[in-house]
Amino acid sequence: MDRKIPERKPEWLKVRANTGRENEEVMALLRSLSLHTVCESADCPNCGECFRRRTATFMVLGGVCTRNCRFCSVTRGCPETVDPEEPERVAEAAHRLGLRHVVVTSVTRDDLPDGGAAHFSLVIRAIRRRFGGSPPVIEVLIPDFKGDSGALDTVLQAAPDILNHNVETVPRLYPTVRPMAVYARSLEVLRLAKALSPDVVTKSGLMVGLGERFDEVLGVMRDLRGAGCDLLTIGQYLAPSRLHHPVVEYVKPPVFDEYRKRALEMGFKYAACGPLIRSSYMAEDAYLHMKNGVVAKKPCGEGGP
């Protein structure tokens, strides 16, 4: 790293605390159903805002990850036994929250033969059953399944509306940021998803502020478009602790504006780029904008709360 590590977060990254009646109600519901969320497990800065809007991103397959990404605060180690009743509980939580757009992700489960693909399929089907004739949009944020095309097809056979797989950072930084992942393999997940299911909307995202260069981010964006990726998210990396990869730079809002401009020029159907953007943050607005030209007053929170 050739840049001085910044000491303080700038004003545009300050958020409200996760407090209030609505937040407590959402957390109580999640606890009562023994569900994990990436909002809490990954220390998402938007957790308070999302819980106030009575939405959450469900994290299935337990709360322990088998990989050691240096940017992530999710617990790593020996994973839990897969809970066969979890899909129904996720569906119940989504229904009680009245979600019109449900986002489901997971820890990475390299210990499972299919990486947890069958479980994703069960979750998707359970949500559709619980909602009956008015199902929500279902978005899944999947791991790479170690490049297993059969596992990917298992998820796609359940017909999610959106398939998201994040590349996270530029390829040069993979050895230090995502040491157990492979950049080319992540691109192949997205490319193959389109080949197996041409109608599925594909999505990917990356973090900035890890020491990447502007031109490297543009290179990743071109690679993603080459893989047929439809939607893009770019947000500021925030280190969960001093033990994680440090923040090398707080990228200024005008740079995110330029990333979005370039992304649209490259042909992405929608690009959410801003300091507080995360993969599933305001995901419904991004999807509606892409489909119908509808967007919230505050587009995907790109200017911060």
Side-chain angles (χ1 to χ4, degrees):
M1 300 176 193
D2 54 0
R3 304 182 201 179
K4 182 180 178 181
I5 296 174
E7 295 180 359
R8 292 186 179 182
K9 291 180 185 178
E11 287 295 319
W12 61 77
L13 285 170
K14 293 185 178 179
V15 297
R16 288 173 59 188
N18 185 16
T19 57
R21 180 179 57 82
E22 295 91 347
N23 303 61
E24 292 170 1
E25 289 175 355
V26 170
M27 289 188 283
L29 172 62
L30 296 169
R31 301 293 179 269
S32 70
L33 293 171
S34 300
L35 294 175
H36 297 281
T37 67
V38 75
C39 318
E40 297 171 286
S41 297
D43 294 330
C44 178
N46 304 311
C47 184
E49 180 184 352
C50 291
F51 281 8
R52 282 191 293 275
R53 292 189 295 106
R54 292 182 62 80
T55 187
T57 296
F58 302 105
M59 189 174 77
V60 299
L61 292 166
V64 181
C65 187
T66 56
R67 294 200 182 172
N68 63 346
C69 298
R70 288 197 62 216
F71 65 87
C72 184
S73 64
V74 174
T75 302
R76 62 194 70 165
C78 184
E80 304 159 33
T81 302
V82 176
D83 183 349
E85 297 180 359
E86 184 178 54
E88 297 298 334
R89 296 202 305 275
V90 170
E92 180 63 23
H95 190 264
R96 288 198 208 174
L97 290 170
L99 298 181
R100 297 170 300 178
H101 189 115
V102 182
V103 184
V104 180
T105 188
S106 76
V107 291
T108 300
R109 293 294 302 263
D110 288 333
D111 60 307
L112 300 175
D114 69 347
H119 197 73
F120 266 104
S121 176
L122 292 172
V123 172
I124 295 167
R125 297 176 195 278
I127 292 169
R128 289 221 172 89
R129 281 196 306 273
R130 184 65 183 84
F131 278 79
S134 301
V137 172
I138 301 176
E139 176 175 337
V140 291
L141 171 53
I142 61 169
D144 61 26
F145 300 133
K146 294 194 288 189
D148 184 344
S149 60
L152 177 60
D153 193 45
T154 294
V155 176
L156 292 170
Q157 286 298 318
D161 298 285
I162 304 170
L163 185 128
N164 186 353
H165 175 68
N166 288 332
V167 292
E168 305 292 9
T169 189
V170 301
R172 176 175 59 84
L173 296 179
Y174 263 56
T176 54
V177 176
R178 290 186 87 194
M180 296 176 70
V182 180
Y183 178 71
R185 185 167 67 194
S186 285
L187 287 177
E188 180 62 12
V189 167
L190 294 161
R191 188 202 65 77
L192 186 58
K194 276 294 190 186
L196 293 171
S197 183
D199 292 334
V200 73
V201 175
T202 52
K203 178 177 177 180
S204 190
L206 65 157
M207 306 166 289
V208 291
L210 286 155
E212 73 292 325
R213 299 187 306 269
F214 184 84
D215 64 293
E216 289 180 305
V217 175
L218 295 184
V220 171
M221 290 161 59
R222 284 190 289 268
D223 288 344
L224 289 171
R225 280 301 300 140
C229 187
D230 299 305
L231 306 179
L232 175 71
T233 61
I234 302 179
Q236 171 70 51
Y237 168 66
L238 297 173
S241 77
R242 293 182 181 277
L243 299 177
H244 290 80
H245 194 289
V247 174
V248 176
E249 177 186 11
Y250 289 122
V251 178
K252 294 180 179 179
V255 179
F256 286 103
D257 292 341
E258 184 65 19
Y259 283 139
R260 178 170 53 186
K261 174 177 174 289
R262 298 289 189 98
L264 296 176
E265 289 173 350
M266 289 181 191
F268 285 96
K269 294 179 181 177
Y270 190 85
C273 306
L276 291 170
I277 292 298
R278 297 296 182 267
S279 291
S280 54
Y281 179 51
M282 303 290 277
E284 180 180 3
D285 289 307
Y287 184 73
L288 287 174
H289 181 88
M290 185 198 75
K291 286 290 185 181
N292 307 315
V294 175
V295 69
K297 280 185 181 179
K298 182 173 137 183
C300 290
E302 291 170 2

